[in-house]
Amino acid sequence: MCRIAGIVNFNKSISTKDWTSLQACSPILEKGGPDAEGLRRNDKSAFLHRRLSIIDTSEAANQPFLSLNGRYQLLFNGEIFNYKELYTSHLAPKNIRLKTASDTEVLLHLFIEYGTAALELLSGFFALCFYDTEEHKAIIARDRFGKKPLVIFEDEDRFIFCSEMKGLMAFDISRKINPIALQLYFQLNYLPPHLSMLQNVRKLSPGHYLEFSSNGITEKSFYSTKIRTEEYNKMSYDEAKKTLIDKMRISVRERMIADVPLGAFLSGGIDSSVVVALAAQETDKLNTFSIGYKDNPVFDETKFAKLVAKKYNTQHQVFYLEETDYKEELFNILDYLDEPFADSSAIPQFILCKKTKKEVTVALSGDGGDEVFAGYNKHKAEWMFRNNKSFSGFAKVTAPIWNALPKTRNSFLGNKVRQMNKFSKGAQLSMKDRFFRWCSILDQKESFNLFSEKTQSLIKVNKVDEIQSEYTQKIQNQDLNEFLLADLNLVLPGDMLHKVDMMSMANALEVRSPFLDYKVVDFAFSIPETYKIDKNLKKRIVQDSFRSMLPEEIYNRPKQGFEIPLLEWFRTDLHSFIFDDLLEKEFVESQGIFDYAEIERIRKKLMSNNPEYIQATIWALIVFQYWYKKYDVSIN
């Protein structure tokens, strides 16, 4: 796990200015790679590597990694878990000998021998650049599900890539805001995985590679998840349970390869408990970590985490958080964000990673289980819409009631009203529109209304619609797997994985997700929805497969999220910072992006008796305005 950056010029040599910028990029990326720095300048290319040492921590495995003759160079951020097997099967028969024990060296030789075909062999997560100095050819690639980021800037002379947007900011690039991304950010509170908030900057899509040569740049997919309906009836439910256990056991075992201390997050939910149960069977001593909430006992799941830890005799630590913990880290998080991202659960994620890093360098997590195996309330609601017409009818008829009642995430009853209001509105939409609405904080009109007339004129609504359609095109009313696939392509890389990568790298912690082994994911989309969800259970096959391994107490209870007390903060401690600084009238009007009348409406909504979920939009505004001021960007 590391951070990388590089420049590949089309025709001319690397300029002194760009080389200086690349060097300036190094301290910017240091938090994600504190163990070693590697810089290399060629004629038409230059590379930077910041290393977080995990496998073969010796200096010999530092990067950029060169072939013996110096012709080939590799820049690599991530882990390849099957590198030993790949060496035995693909390199040893060719009499290739290694000088390190690193996955990096194996990866270099795989590219030398097989080119882009090497990507299909890899089990792991990565962002990388393979460069041939003689032919001036580069291959840049991102892992199957977008666990590792890769941000790209292009102009007529050069191609620049980096693990983080803030690294690109070290270069002389345009800082103009992309109006389409702006609209979608305030809808979703995050960006779709291929978009950037800046014009001329984009992210390489998950499962894609980009090939650079004298013929130009071509981009291709080397992997995409497919719903394999032809395999739905190939195994019984009992056979599918056994298969899932076997695949997860292998995935967890592979992800425990490390030359540094390793542990696991343990929330008390099913997914992280499954990972811990399997990991504990692979080692005599497993460190596990949970967050507890002193000020919010209703959200505290540590008692369930402790049951799992006790069953498997893990070295368990609970970090009990208070409101002061969040406030102390708030500006550290805002400072680290290099692009607007407003999922507020990044705050406890940052704190968990910071505290966990004091004990280990690698942590296993249960990320991906909900998206792949139908674990969210929206999945249950969609299943009900498709399988229970009376529920759909009830939701439509009662929509005015739910819309009129007070809604909040901060109480059980208010949250239920909020959910029913969301479901009732979804019942009136097409499946595709419903999916995108349930991924969003605001609908398209609500988001559009935030902006000034000038900004609205720059937003091409048809382009926004095209991007939404891109992520919903596979939803064709076949079964719920279509909904899950859309989640895998949009929400997982755009929100969940992006959040975990940022907050873990801010603390030099590597997080590995066994549920996102591509063999587990491929299996998940080869079984019917009935194996994943029914009228009684979400994530049915996960719950049933591992029931004998887990304490019964963690079953048959509602899925608990946690709401940071943003509403109260925004009304009190942070009110002046928000409305007298970031959203002060004169500044907003000079900025020209937002409609101040809408900002004032939001402020009044915040202070009303029915704030609904306005704090999410205010948090999105805070993050955006803080970023806007820090990086001196503009809308025109």
Side-chain angles (χ1 to χ4, degrees), residues 15 39 41 141 158 201 252 256 365 422 463 484 608 624:
S15 69
L39 278 157
R41 182 176 183 176
R158 59 193 172 154
V201 177
V252 169
M256 295 184 73
S365 83
K422 199 169 187 178
K463 294 294 184 182
L484 302 180
S608 74
F624 179 85

Side-chain angles (χ1 to χ4, degrees), residues 266 273 276-277 304-313 550-551 554:
L266 180 55
S273 298
V276 166
F304 301 108
K306 288 176 182 177
L307 288 171
V308 177
K310 182 178 179 181
K311 181 177 179 67
Y312 288 100
N313 194 32
L550 301 177
I554 74 170

Side-chain angles (χ1 to χ4, degrees), residues 2 4 49 63 74-80 103-104 107 126-127:
C2 311
I4 62 174
H49 187 267
Q63 301 179 42
L74 179 68
L75 208 59
F76 168 49
N77 168 23
E79 306 290 351
I80 306 302
D103 53 345
T104 304
L107 187 56
F126 51 84

Side-chain angles (χ1 to χ4, degrees), residues 403-463:
N403 194 49
L405 290 172
K407 295 167 279 292
T408 177
R409 284 181 180 264
N410 293 341
S411 71
F412 177 81
L413 183 59
N415 195 41
K416 286 299 178 186
V417 173
R418 182 192 66 83
Q419 289 174 339
M420 285 306 302
N421 184 56
K422 199 169 187 178
F423 295 157
S424 65
K425 288 182 177 179
Q428 301 171 60
L429 301 174
S430 68
M431 284 179 295
K432 293 183 178 183
D433 289 341
R434 182 162 62 236
F435 168 80
F436 212 88
R437 181 65 188 93
W438 282 353
C439 293
S440 304
I441 299 297
L442 302 177
D443 64 29
Q444 191 176 107
K445 182 179 179 181
E446 291 169 331
S447 175
F448 194 75
N449 287 342
L450 283 171
F451 305 120
S452 66
E453 290 184 7
K454 182 185 79 170
T455 303
Q456 289 179 352
S457 70
L458 298 174
I459 297 170
K460 308 301 181 187
V461 176
N462 64 317
K463 294 294 184 182

Side-chain angles (χ1 to χ4, degrees), residues 13 34 79 102 132 136 174 181 190 263 388 410 415 420 572 576:
S13 299
E79 306 290 351
S102 70
D132 180 341
H136 189 42
S174 169
Y190 58 90
N388 187 333
N410 293 341
N415 195 41
M420 285 306 302
T572 55
S576 179

Side-chain angles (χ1 to χ4, degrees), residues 263-275:
F265 296 149
L266 180 55
S267 69
I270 294 292
D271 298 336
S272 66
S273 298
V274 165
V275 170

